[in-house]
Amino acid sequence: MTETPTQAGLQSGGYGLRRDALSPMETLAQSVSTIAPTTTPAATIPLVCALAGNGTWLAYVLATAAILLVALCISRFARYSSSPGSLYTYASMILPPSLGATAAWSLLLAYIATGSSVIGGFYHYANLLLHDATGRVASGVFLALLVTAISIAIAWRDVKISARLMLWIEAVSVTLIMTVVVLVLVRHGLHLDWTQLRLHGMTGSGLRLGLVLALFSFVGFESATTLGAEARNPLKTIPRAVIQSALLAGAIFILCAYTEVLGLRTVGQDLGKSEAPMRVLASVGGVPVLGLLIDIGVLVSMFAGTLACITAAARVLMLMSHNGLAHGSLRATHARHETPGRAIMVTGIAAVAPVAVLAARGASGLDVYGWMGSLATYGFIVAYALVCVALPRYLRDHGAYRPGAQIIPWLAFAAMLLALFGNLYPVPEGPYGKLPFIYLAYLCAGMLWFFLQRRREEAPPTES
């Protein structure tokens, strides 16, 4: 019988990673930090509002529903299997090898590109705060390299320190945002904003395109599954972390979307055109000082997101190395720190390289955030869809199949297909129109490596 990636990993003692190192809260921190919930109210919700207008809250309701369907599928896998390979492991256990490889390369790109996205956001907010304080800005390339170097160092040193740091960063930042949101709602009074609830001025195409961007707010919610070899009692803590992160993020995003549209309209501003919405919202709530603190929190959250993405991507790359999808040297782990040091270096460099190039060419941090985030979405959608397709057979193999068990997986698969269609049609303008081709070129290169490796393995040994 051929060993699955999960079986091989468990028998080898967790691939050289530190076993039972992370508590349930620290495991949850990995998913929460990859989502980077602080960044959505500041950077993503305004982009959604520019498309969906008064339907921004509805776009997040629908996105939350779609993500919860996917989360239910992933959590079912996570009850029976734990390894650093995350969705790649789940897909490869059931689907043909070529589709398993597709999931692996897509997921690796998704985490790396998300890391690139938040690095871009980091240098945007760093320069925003530097300009306010000194009237000057720093080199975007320098700031991108700085945040990546610090993230690599922490991820290399200790996964436990990494998880704890990410947890505290996001907890403080989200608390500040929710304080402002509550104050704005209290000032508005108990009456509802019927202009939003009646979707005044919203168009169907605007809602569809806004929904695609809203989904980007959630990507990475499943990244706790990459800690399968390091979490305590992973078959219980990881499924809970996946569901909890999706629910928590959805509740925050829906409430923030409703409040931001309401708050900025009360002062005659358009959320879709605002560059610092949380500062405006803090002024509406009567606590302008919190606006500055939230911007600092967004900056730190971007750092936490960079750290989380490198942590997740490195573990996927390490397992790909174990299974012949990447160079064999990337499976090595540090003898003392028990972290995949080489994979961390490679994924960190891969995340910062496109950002450094774009920054050197004068691209703004928010442009990089949008471009690389949209590229990441393709990888996540494909990986999510493949896992949903694999779930029914997986449940049969484990004797857990029940009548109606295919409903949720196929609903989730349909939601991902609709999201992919929304990314591709109508064809986006400018750089966004090139992203599907970049993703396909990357995937073709990855699959070419896969097929070459297969041919080498299947070739008969040569006689000496």
Side-chain angles (χ1 to χ4, degrees):
M1 176 180 170
T2 302
E3 286 185 328
T4 65
T6 305
Q7 291 169 327
L10 291 174
Q11 291 175 7
S12 66
Y15 302 97
L17 300 172
R18 185 173 300 172
R19 303 289 295 181
D20 301 324
L22 302 177
S23 68
M25 286 300 294
E26 290 163 342
T27 304
L28 175 63
Q30 171 63 33
S31 281
V32 171
S33 298
T34 310
I35 296 172
T38 309
T39 66
T40 287
T44 311
I45 288 178
L47 297 177
V48 176
C49 182
L51 296 166
N54 284 314
T56 301
W57 67 271
L58 179 59
Y60 274 96
V61 168
L62 296 175
T64 300
I67 289 298
L68 279 175
L69 289 172
V70 176
L72 289 171
C73 295
I74 294 173
S75 67
R76 292 301 298 273
F77 273 106
R79 292 180 191 177
Y80 300 98
S81 170
S82 63
S83 86
S86 183
L87 308 188
Y88 156 47
T89 299
Y90 304 155
S92 63
M93 287 189 294
I94 298 298
L95 300 177
S98 59
L99 290 180
T102 299
W105 287 108
S106 295
L107 190 64
L108 180 64
L109 173 71
Y111 285 135
I112 289 175
T114 301
S116 300
S117 175
V118 291
I119 291 170
F122 178 89
Y123 84 70
H124 168 78
Y125 272 92
N127 274 329
L128 186 69
L129 292 168
L130 279 172
H131 186 269
D132 288 347
T134 67
R136 299 182 179 181
V137 295
S139 163
V141 175
F142 169 75
L143 292 171
L145 293 174
L146 177 65
V147 70
T148 306
I150 294 173
S151 298
I152 288 174
I154 295 174
W156 188 311
R157 175 67 179 82
D158 192 335
V159 69
K160 193 175 183 68
I161 294 174
S162 170
R164 285 180 176 176
L165 180 63
M166 291 185 292
L167 179 64
W168 282 107
I169 287 171
E170 291 298 339
V172 171
S173 301
V174 170
T175 299
L176 291 174
I177 287 176
M178 296 312 295
T179 299
V180 170
V181 165
V182 169
L183 289 172
V184 170
L185 292 176
V186 169
R187 288 208 163 198
H188 182 68
L190 297 177
H191 54 285
L192 298 174
D193 181 11
W194 289 107
T195 302
Q196 281 194 77
L197 296 179
R198 289 171 179 163
L199 306 175
H200 180 72
M202 185 198 77
T203 64
S205 61
L207 177 63
R208 177 174 57 82
L209 294 173
L211 173 59
V212 173
L213 281 174
L215 285 171
F216 175 63
S217 295
F218 292 86
V219 294
F221 77 95
E222 80 302 324
S223 66
T225 58
T226 64
L227 303 178
E230 295 155 285
R232 297 175 199 160
N233 198 3
L235 300 183
K236 288 186 178 180
T237 58
I238 289 177
R240 289 174 185 169
V242 169
I243 297 295
Q244 288 168 352
S245 61
L247 284 172
L248 179 65
I252 292 171
F253 297 159
I254 293 168
L255 185 59
C256 286
Y258 173 86
T259 307
E260 285 184 53
V261 174
L262 168 65
L264 268 73
R265 190 173 60 242
T266 60
V267 293
Q269 293 194 29
D270 181 358
L271 175 60
K273 298 178 181 178
S274 176
E275 295 185 357
M278 294 311 300
R279 289 192 183 187
V280 178
L281 211 63
S283 297
V284 173
V287 282
V289 66
L290 288 188
L292 175 62
L293 294 178
I294 288 172
D295 281 348
I296 295 173
V298 172
L299 175 70
V300 181
S301 181
M302 294 287 188
F303 159 69
T306 304
L307 175 56
C309 289
I310 291 173
T311 297
R315 281 148 181 80
V316 173
L317 183 59
M318 184 194 72
L319 189 62
M320 289 172 65
S321 175
H322 273 278
N323 293 302
L325 287 179
H327 195 276
S329 64
L330 297 174
R331 72 185 64 180
T333 53
H334 194 279
R336 181 159 55 92
H337 301 318
E338 298 177 284
T339 56
R342 291 179 182 175
I344 287 170
M345 285 293 298
V346 169
T347 53
I349 292 170
V352 76
V355 182
V357 171
L358 291 169
R361 299 185 64 177
S364 73
L366 287 183
D367 280 340
V368 174
Y369 178 83
W371 296 336
M372 299 307 296
S374 296
L375 179 61
T377 303
Y378 291 108
F380 278 117
I381 288 175
V382 170
Y384 292 162
L386 289 173
V387 167
C388 293
V389 168
L391 180 59
R393 182 179 165 187
Y394 184 79
L395 293 177
R396 286 194 191 96
D397 291 349
H398 285 79
Y401 189 83
R402 300 290 183 272
Q406 295 192 39
I407 295 176
I408 288 179
W410 285 111
L411 283 175
F413 178 71
M416 293 302 100
L417 282 185
L418 288 173
L420 186 61
F421 178 77
N423 264 295
L424 298 175
Y425 183 82
V427 177
E429 298 180 357
Y432 288 93
K434 300 176 183 178
L435 296 178
F437 300 102
I438 294 174
Y439 169 70
L440 288 175
Y442 160 86
L443 190 58
C444 287
M447 295 308 293
L448 178 61
W449 172 274
F450 166 73
F451 286 118
L452 288 174
Q453 290 295 100
R454 294 268 293 186
R455 286 189 63 181
R456 288 173 188 161
E457 292 173 2
E458 294 170 358
T462 58
E463 296 183 2
S464 56

